[in-house]
Amino acid sequence: MRDVLDDLLRWWRDGEAAGLATVTATWSSAPRQPGAAMLVSAEGTAVGSVSGGCVEGAVYELCREVAGTGQPRTVRYGISDDDAFEVGLPCGGTIELFVERAGFPELPVLAEAVAADRPVALLTCVEGPPERLGGHLVITGDTRHGSLGGDRLDDAATDDGRGMLAAGRTGLLHYGPAGERRGAGLTVLVSSFAPAARMIVFGATDHAAAVARIGAFLGYRVTVCDARPVFATARRFPDADEVVVDWPHRYLAAEAEAGRIDPRTVLCVLTHDPKFDVPVLEVALELPVAYVGAMGSRRTHDDRLKRLRETGLDPAALARLASPIGLDLGARTPEETAVSIAAEIVAMRWNGTGERLTGTSGPIHA
């Protein structure tokens, strides 16, 4: 929804009716994830996407209809023999959408937090009694605005939504009519707007520059850190959000202590120099991060493991280390190596195998 938020706020403030379609759930190979949104004004202007083009025409018309009637709708699109290329998904997936008239009083609070890069979540009642349907709640780590229609429901959804926001997750919560956690019949979509996940690259090398470039492309907030000021310069790493001159282990420990490392963080150790990489890996492998990878030959890897064992790290911590870093793509250049590292990060994020799709069967997306 982030890509339609500015238009949504502007149209709402101008009093222009619009329809908002948001993906609430997907199955199989659906092209967009929950939280993806499409906004259509009453005059017919459209922004955003819910399917990458497969069903945009049908959703466009539905948004215009709901903008006029104000009556929210839940619809599902999937492949079928009769209309797969008319209003279905030729890719074979299924998506469910909640379509509502766009705009609610808490919208400026949401837009302000997103613009300031502060974690915030929008909670929307997408299934339930008519009087609850389309209710909105905007939450941060310590505030909430709006209501889903009842104190008990608001309290439960706020607690659960904050847990999802902390992990940067978007998805559905299910409750009973009054907000009972073990009940059914009422569904809330949590759309999380969290700051970009971090990628910290240790080692101011040519490979680090390529990894920083592809990390930025993937949407990470990239930091390059090296203890050598002659190499760690902004000019050498134009794609990094910041370049830090510090000992890697000291910088990482300080960032963790300050609460700036979270479960989405990825760490790439590209120094392949024991005096740098062993101390930083000793810190990294004790942190709850998404990925820790280290560059080096197999001989370097074996020596590194020996040194890390001597620090007292247990086998479970050592098993988290991706080393030698990256997938086996036959990479030679720094750019090709960066692709292999990025591919491993993506595969670990989504439990991919790294195999060629042409040699596999079954659903493309697990």
Side-chain angles (χ1 to χ4, degrees), residues 10-218:
R10 176 165 49 84
W11 292 349
W12 178 72
R13 282 176 169 165
D14 291 343
E16 183 172 354
L20 177 67
T22 306
V23 178
T24 58
T26 66
W27 295 266
S28 191
S29 299
R32 298 297 302 274
Q33 294 299 307
M38 180 177 180
L39 180 68
V40 181
S41 72
E43 295 181 352
T45 302
V47 292
S49 171
V50 293
S51 71
C54 300
V55 298
E56 307 293 69
V59 176
Y60 174 87
E61 295 298 337
L62 184 56
C63 283
R64 295 194 70 181
E65 175 188 326
V66 171
T69 66
Q71 298 300 312
R73 296 270 304 276
T74 296
V75 295
R76 183 178 293 188
Y77 295 103
I79 193 167
S80 69
D81 293 336
D82 296 332
D83 60 6
F85 291 94
E86 183 178 352
V87 294
L89 290 173
C91 62
T94 301
I95 61 172
E96 188 171 86
L97 306 169
F98 180 70
V99 188
E100 59 185 317
R101 179 180 281 172
F104 45 92
E106 297 76 31
L107 182 57
V109 176
L110 175 68
E112 180 183 357
V114 171
D117 213 21
R118 296 195 301 269
V120 63
L122 171 64
L123 280 61
T124 305
C125 183
V126 298
E127 179 187 15
E131 66 275 12
R132 298 281 181 87
L133 203 59
H136 296 94
L137 191 65
V138 174
I139 64 171
T140 66
D142 54 7
T143 67
R144 81 180 184 198
H145 307 267
S147 176
L148 297 173
D151 290 342
R152 181 176 180 181
L153 174 60
D154 289 347
D155 290 342
T158 296
D159 288 344
D160 297 337
R162 282 176 177 155
M164 294 179 67
L165 176 59
R169 291 177 48 228
T170 288
L172 298 173
L173 299 171
H174 302 281
Y175 302 101
E180 306 93 330
R181 280 195 169 91
R182 295 189 178 184
L186 198 149
T187 302
V188 174
L189 172 67
V190 179
S191 298
S192 291
F193 299 84
R198 296 190 67 185
M199 170 185 283
I200 306 180
V201 183
F202 296 102
T205 65
D206 289 346
H207 286 86
V211 171
R213 190 176 311 123
I214 203 166
F217 174 75
L218 291 176

Side-chain angles (χ1 to χ4, degrees), residues 61-363:
E61 295 298 337
L62 184 56
C63 283
R64 295 194 70 181
E65 175 188 326
V66 171
T69 66
Q71 298 300 312
R73 296 270 304 276
T74 296
V75 295
R76 183 178 293 188
Y77 295 103
I79 193 167
S80 69
D81 293 336
D82 296 332
D83 60 6
F85 291 94
E86 183 178 352
V87 294
L89 290 173
C91 62
T94 301
I95 61 172
E96 188 171 86
L97 306 169
F98 180 70
V99 188
E100 59 185 317
R101 179 180 281 172
F104 45 92
E106 297 76 31
L107 182 57
V109 176
L110 175 68
E112 180 183 357
V114 171
D117 213 21
R118 296 195 301 269
V120 63
L122 171 64
L123 280 61
T124 305
C125 183
V126 298
E127 179 187 15
E131 66 275 12
R132 298 281 181 87
L133 203 59
H136 296 94
L137 191 65
V138 174
I139 64 171
T140 66
D142 54 7
T143 67
R144 81 180 184 198
H145 307 267
S147 176
L148 297 173
D151 290 342
R152 181 176 180 181
L153 174 60
D154 289 347
D155 290 342
T158 296
D159 288 344
D160 297 337
R162 282 176 177 155
M164 294 179 67
L165 176 59
R169 291 177 48 228
T170 288
L172 298 173
L173 299 171
H174 302 281
Y175 302 101
E180 306 93 330
R181 280 195 169 91
R182 295 189 178 184
L186 198 149
T187 302
V188 174
L189 172 67
V190 179
S191 298
S192 291
F193 299 84
R198 296 190 67 185
M199 170 185 283
I200 306 180
V201 183
F202 296 102
T205 65
D206 289 346
H207 286 86
V211 171
R213 190 176 311 123
I214 203 166
F217 174 75
L218 291 176
Y220 287 97
R221 176 174 170 263
V222 180
T223 300
V224 175
C225 175
D226 196 296
R228 301 165 297 178
V230 67
F231 296 117
T233 65
R235 184 175 181 179
R236 294 189 70 226
F237 299 95
D239 298 289
D241 294 281
E242 59 182 351
V243 179
V244 175
V245 178
D246 200 350
W247 279 84
H249 69 284
R250 186 167 60 190
Y251 173 74
L252 182 59
E255 291 296 285
E257 180 68 23
R260 290 189 287 266
I261 303 296
D262 66 30
R264 301 176 300 150
T265 301
V266 302
L267 306 174
C268 301
V269 180
L270 309 183
T271 55
H272 50 85
D273 183 335
K275 69 175 176 291
F276 291 118
D277 60 19
V278 171
V280 73
L281 287 172
E282 185 181 357
V283 176
L285 292 172
E286 297 284 9
L287 296 176
V289 296
Y291 174 86
V292 181
M295 177 174 282
S297 67
R298 297 199 184 276
R299 179 180 297 178
T300 298
H301 170 69
D302 291 341
D303 178 70
R304 181 188 294 133
L305 283 182
K306 177 177 177 293
R307 292 170 183 266
L308 288 171
R309 290 191 189 98
E310 291 172 353
T311 70
L313 284 175
D314 61 37
L318 293 173
R320 298 177 55 222
L321 177 61
S323 174
I325 196 169
L327 297 185
D328 180 13
L329 304 185
R332 294 292 186 271
T333 68
E335 290 75 18
E336 290 173 347
T337 302
V339 170
S340 79
I341 294 170
E344 183 174 46
I345 291 170
V346 172
M348 291 187 68
R349 178 182 181 184
W350 298 110
N351 296 315
T353 64
E355 296 181 57
R356 296 183 65 197
L357 290 175
T358 189
T360 64
S361 60

